Amino acid sequence: MQTISNQQIAEMLREIGEYLAMQNIPFKPRAFEKAALTIEGLEEEVSEIYKKGGGGKDGLKALKEIPGVGASIAASIEEAINTGKMKDLERLRKSTPVRLDELSRIEGLGPKSVQKLYKALSIRNLKDLEKAARAGKIAALPGFGKKTEENILKSIGFAATSGQRFFIGHIMPQIRRIEERLRLLPESKMVTIAGSARRWKETVGDADILVVSQKPAPIMRQFVSMPEVVRVIAHGDTKSSVKVRGGLNVDLRVVPEESYGAALAYFTGSKDHNVAMRQTAIKRGWKLNEYGLFKATSEKGRAIGKEKMIAGRTEAELYETFGMDYIEPELRENTGELEAARRHALPKLVGYGDLQGDLQVQTDWTDGSDSIESMARVAMARGLKYIAITDHTKRLAMANGLDEKRILKQMAEIDKLNKKFAGKIKILKGSECDILKDGTLDLPDSVLSKLDVVGASVHSFFNLPRTEQTKRIARAMENPNVDILFHPTGRIVNKRAPYDVDVEELIRAAKRTGTIMEIDALERLDLKDEYIRKCVEAGVRMSIDSDAHSPSHYSSIEYGIAQARRGWAEKKDIINSWPVEKMLKSLK
Ligand code: DGT
Ligand code: CA
Ligand code: CA
Ligand code: ZN
């Protein structure tokens, strides 16, 4: 049986939903989108859920227990697990000769505009689209215009340059499964993910895995014959390389235990960090490589051509021999971490278990999949002490955004739930309030002032000129009711470039106004690491939020924390690592 990833299943479901939306079928598209949202965030593989359920009829039943998955979607998922395909999707693809998977990656092109483009200009794929845009044909279409055409061309450029690397949030589960597979082999003594994935870089080019073993041959054999392997690129004695389903390349190295630390340091990188470490070694007359740290031995001051290994069994030992503190992988980018380690001045990074709350959570009051209560229960089960319910506001009509009346109703419901959950989890009243074009907000201050946590965010006018965009957002931050600037730059990793904005000016505005800057973990990683570090340096505080639209999305928190660590953030910088009272007091 092939193993199909959650991501692949989610993409298929989403594509079906988009085809249905193109045909103007009501409600159903939303159901597919919701199921896709849930599945891509699940920690357990759907194929495992099916298998564990017993496959067949019982497996199908297990699938139906996944929230948002009804009988017909479950049947499609079962098909995908068994055959790698969904008949409904194949049929839709055939009957609509448009490459929706390609075209809907272009920012601003929804299923309906794709259909218009097909009818008017016979645009079927990205190539057609680019040609038409370059010829100025799209600008001439009613409802499109010059601006849209420019954006399409910009977006095509972005898609072309960002396609080759994998978003860490999508690829990490697959890398971990391979790691787990290798760990189960009796010949492997230790297994560690290295490379950019260990550094939690936002995108990963290929996966690097290190195994300690005295018997590399059987490990190599089993590695190249894993079920997910689609191509063996190299099969050596201690080094192999494969391509797995979904397109990721995985490099495996087997090393002896005495070189483990040196090998891990080397293959963790980054390359720039390694080069700087090696130069430090050379300055001291040592030699550093993936086998260890060596010193030339001498007799009576003359080198005798032999080298003595002085460190390399563990990374800690390696850094210690250099007189440095241990450098966490997230910091190894040669951006000052070596000096800081020498001066014993490295930050004490916020830890993966340090978050007590989540300040951006959506529910079925708007475009989330689940009720406030079930989002709270799942948060509780994950060990969170508080969450802020931050549904969208009315300008986002597509997401059924809340107006004044509905948000007041929601607040009353939260009061009720808080009585029920007293002492277990605190539900905060919040909002993800739209920032309008002029920097004013989508809800009146009289309502915002009643909430515990107000996040403000940009969901429109992405293409304002830089100074105007910056002013607009800064104006929203000046509002005394705005506590957090949600996803400050609007980017989505690998999918959407940030809007043109002066982030340093926003950081200054945050400092001046006491606004918290968000690290939005779900798909966005916005702020990104370099801006997080600027916030840390400026003394601007941040929150790390899941932006969950379904319970499974809480798992994104891990990637948000990783990004914060890459930005040198400590607990003191992250307000939702604090107890709820202290966190609330720190808001405006
Ligand atoms: P990626 O795969 O592009 O996301 O980034 P990495 O960092 O995983 O890079 P990769 O897979 O090419 O190599 C893994 C590690 O091996 C890298 O982080 C550092 C080390 N490495 C690779 N090539 C070199 C090199 O030419 N010099 C040094 N010093 N280290 C290297
Ligand atoms: Ca790599
Ligand atoms: Ca590699
Ligand atoms: Zn949003």
Side-chain angles (χ1 to χ4, degrees), residues 37-196:
L37 271 175
T38 303
I39 284 167
E40 73 190 353
L42 286 180
E43 257 148 289
E44 192 172 9
E45 284 297 304
V46 170
S47 54
E48 280 300 309
I49 295 176
Y50 178 73
K51 239 193 285 169
K52 269 197 211 148
K57 249 196 201 143
D58 295 331
L60 198 61
K61 223 165 143 195
L63 291 179
K64 275 188 252 174
E65 263 156 43
I66 301 171
V69 174
S72 81
I73 292 182
S76 292
I77 295 174
E78 182 184 33
E79 260 182 78
I81 293 170
N82 290 327
T83 68
K85 286 180 184 161
M86 292 183 186
K87 262 193 249 123
D88 282 348
L89 179 58
E90 300 297 310
R91 206 166 26 76
L92 286 164
R93 278 184 180 158
K94 266 197 204 116
S95 64
T96 338
V98 167
R99 288 296 300 272
L100 249 188
D101 54 337
E102 278 188 9
L103 292 174
S104 59
R105 280 216 314 267
I106 299 304
E107 185 53 28
L109 276 196
K112 295 207 173 121
S113 33
V114 167
Q115 192 191 28
K116 274 191 210 154
L117 289 170
Y118 174 64
K119 280 197 174 150
L121 301 170
S122 306
I123 290 172
R124 294 160 192 262
N125 51 37
L126 219 51
K127 244 193 191 150
D128 294 347
L129 181 70
E130 185 168 8
K131 227 164 100 189
R134 290 208 187 287
K137 285 186 184 159
I138 291 174
L141 275 189
F144 284 83
K146 189 88 203 128
K147 197 90 212 170
T148 311
E149 187 172 85
E150 276 166 22
N151 291 337
I152 285 174
L153 283 169
K154 226 184 350 186
S155 187
I156 289 173
F158 183 73
T161 54
S162 61
Q164 296 87 3
R165 298 179 62 84
F166 296 84
F167 173 49
I168 182 114
H170 288 163
I171 209 66
M172 202 59 171
Q174 190 175 19
I175 300 175
R176 281 175 166 163
R177 274 197 303 281
I178 296 171
E179 177 195 23
E180 198 47 41
R181 223 183 251 297
L182 295 167
R183 202 188 301 287
L184 292 175
L185 300 179
E187 296 86 2
S188 71
K189 202 160 170 193
M190 246 187 295
V191 181
T192 316
I193 295 171
S196 50

Side-chain angles (χ1 to χ4, degrees), residues 206-208 251:
D206 68 12
D208 305 275
D251 290 346

